[in-house]
């Protein structure tokens, strides 16, 4: 491949390689680390000693791809579509992607105005089932909206189901969202989400490893998930069956040392079975945005304490509560019987009973005392 070995040459070389090698190819990643992008691209385009780690047949296949690759045309098409190519080491490159080692992207094609590096610093992935239930869609949208309102960037895959709900929930509150595609960013996929992905590009970012015009494949969807996991501080899974791409993202996040969270669902739902399996392992159960932010955020971003309502009975002095507990559920009781049940004196029991009467818990019936209807209902 012609061109100098400077920054522009490396940029063109990496653009060339996105057309030649598949996302997540660790052998190619090792070549890049050991020889640099310009030299790897030169050998694949112009010939030279075969690089190690592949068969002759595989090398010939890569060379054939290289013969058809035209990085200058790809870069020009990207510019025309409002797309830029972001390379490792560049000012917009998110350094956390380097945690992928040799499996890190060769580069990322980005559509949208915000800085990918800055947005990724405070981002959370929300992923889940494509064929989600109404519950899953509602939870994903509400969770994403809550995170966006707290200043978090919501990252997902742009797919049907939970992904789409998470993006829409974020956009609905004017929040920041990133869609990581398994296709060229100028070719929204799925096609039914063309309008949604276009809106994300206008309000947020659409990124992907594949050059303009490239289509997705099943393996590219799976490999795309490692980018979602590495890009973010943590991954939340909302509904996922045992075999789910969302679980691939969660497990990648765990391998990278990122936070992994799951939203529980009905134990009878197969779409929550994968989430529950995660929760039986190292994942943390979350139910709303505050709990997610507490886990992935800075010190002091605490979720509110969760407790049931405070009832009037809870505010009673312990001695008064013991007297109240000593009254029978039905009928009246004498003071002596109540005092014995409460473990106190006759005079103390009388004083507590009058206190309880003023609060509406008990009433006097002749020489006895009984619970009021209000107290019985509260119990």
């Amino acid at each position: 491949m012609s061109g100098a070995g400077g920054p522009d040459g490396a940029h063109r070389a990496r653009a060339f390689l996105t057309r030649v090698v598949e996302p997540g190819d660790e052998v190619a990643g090792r070549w890049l680390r050991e020889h640099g992008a310009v030299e790897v691209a030169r050998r694949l385009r112009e010939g030279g000693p075969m690089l190690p780690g592949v068969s002759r047949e595989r090398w010939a296949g890569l060379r054939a791809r290289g013969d058809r690759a035209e990085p200058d045309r790809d870069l020009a098409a990207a510019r025309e579509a409002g797309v830029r190519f972001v390379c490792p080491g560049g000012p917009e490159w998110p350094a956390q992607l380097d945690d992928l080692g040799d499996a890190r992207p060769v580069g990322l094609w980005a559509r949208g105005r915000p800085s990918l590096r800055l947005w990724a610093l405070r981002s959370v992935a929300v992923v889940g089932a494509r064929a989600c239930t109404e519950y899953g869609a509602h939870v994903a949208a509400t969770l994403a909206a809550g995170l966006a309102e707290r200043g978090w960037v919501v990252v997902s895959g742009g797919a049907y189901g939970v992904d789409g709900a998470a993006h829409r929930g974020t956009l609905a509150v004017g929040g920041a969202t990133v869609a990581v595609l398994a296709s060229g960013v100028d070719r929204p996929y799925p096609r039914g989400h063309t309008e949604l992905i276009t809106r994300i590009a206008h309000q947020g970012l659409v990124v992907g490893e594949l050059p303009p015009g490239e289509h997705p494949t099943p393996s590219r969807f799976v490999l795309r998930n490692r980018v979602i996991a590495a890009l973010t501080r943590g991954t939340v899974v909302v509904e996922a069956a045992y075999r789910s791409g969302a679980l691939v993202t969660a497990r990648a996040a765990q391998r990278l040392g990122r936070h992994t969270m799951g939203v529980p669902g009905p134990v009878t739902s197969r779409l929550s079975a994968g989430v529950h399996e995660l929760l039986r392992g190292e994942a943390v159960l979350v139910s709303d945005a505050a709990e997610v932010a507490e886990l992935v955020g800075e010190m002091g971003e605490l979720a509110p304490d969760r407790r049931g309502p405070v009832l009037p009975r809870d505010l009673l002095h312990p001695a008064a509560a013991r007297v109240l507990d000593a009254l029978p559920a039905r009928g009246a009781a004498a003071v002596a019987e109540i005092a014995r049940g409460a473990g106190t004196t006759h005079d103390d029991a009388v004083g507590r009973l009058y206190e309880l009467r003023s609060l509406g818990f008990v009433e006097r019936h002749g020489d006895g005392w009984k619970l009021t209807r209000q107290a019985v209902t509260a119990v």
Side-chain angles (χ1 to χ4, degrees), residues 48-132:
M50 189 175 82
L51 291 164
V54 293
S55 65
R56 291 189 177 279
E57 292 78 11
R58 178 63 180 149
W59 180 255
L62 292 172
R63 287 288 315 281
R65 280 189 171 189
D67 288 341
R68 295 191 299 272
E70 298 183 45
D72 291 331
R73 186 182 66 180
D74 284 339
L75 289 167
R79 282 192 297 273
E80 187 174 339
V83 175
R84 61 191 178 279
F85 185 54
V86 179
C87 290
E92 199 181 346
W93 182 256
Q96 58 266 47
L97 290 178
D98 299 340
D99 293 346
L100 290 168
D102 289 340
R104 78 174 179 180
V106 172
L108 287 174
W109 302 85
R111 181 181 168 200
R113 285 177 290 183
S115 166
L116 177 60
R117 183 182 68 82
L118 293 179
W119 272 28
L121 291 174
R122 189 175 165 86
S123 64
V124 178
V126 179
V127 297
R130 284 179 171 81
C132 68

Side-chain angles (χ1 to χ4, degrees), residues 102-304:
D102 289 340
R104 78 174 179 180
V106 172
L108 287 174
W109 302 85
R111 181 181 168 200
R113 285 177 290 183
S115 166
L116 177 60
R117 183 182 68 82
L118 293 179
W119 272 28
L121 291 174
R122 189 175 165 86
S123 64
V124 178
V126 179
V127 297
R130 284 179 171 81
C132 68
T133 64
E134 288 185 13
Y135 163 79
H138 171 74
V139 169
T142 304
L143 190 68
L147 286 167
E149 289 173 335
R150 285 168 171 79
W152 288 89
V153 176
V154 175
V155 179
S156 199
Y160 292 131
V162 166
D163 288 17
H167 290 306
R168 289 189 180 95
T170 307
L171 294 170
V173 295
T177 189
V178 178
V180 183
L181 303 188
S183 60
V185 295
D186 63 331
R187 179 175 289 187
Y189 188 91
R191 290 186 180 179
H193 273 181
T194 298
E195 183 178 345
L196 172 63
I197 292 170
T198 300
R199 187 178 170 200
I200 294 170
H202 288 157
Q203 188 168 322
L205 280 168
V206 178
V207 301
E209 298 178 77
L210 295 167
E214 275 295 313
H215 63 278
T217 63
S219 63
R220 287 171 173 177
F221 280 117
V222 173
L223 290 163
R224 176 273 310 271
N225 293 337
R226 83 194 193 288
V227 177
I228 295 176
L231 198 61
T232 54
R233 287 199 192 181
T235 294
V236 185
V237 182
V238 182
E239 290 196 326
Y242 282 123
R243 288 177 58 86
S244 169
L247 297 186
V248 174
T249 309
R251 290 174 185 134
Q254 288 176 337
R255 288 193 299 271
L256 292 164
R258 308 290 198 265
H259 294 288
T260 309
M261 296 150 279
V263 177
V267 295
T268 53
S269 171
R270 64 178 183 80
L271 284 175
S272 289
V275 180
H276 296 162
E277 190 64 23
L278 275 179
L279 293 173
R280 283 169 52 84
E282 299 176 4
V284 176
L285 186 152
V286 293
S287 59
D288 61 18
E291 292 175 352
V292 175
E294 179 181 74
L295 192 64
V296 302
E298 305 298 337
M299 187 178 296
E301 289 190 56
L302 301 178

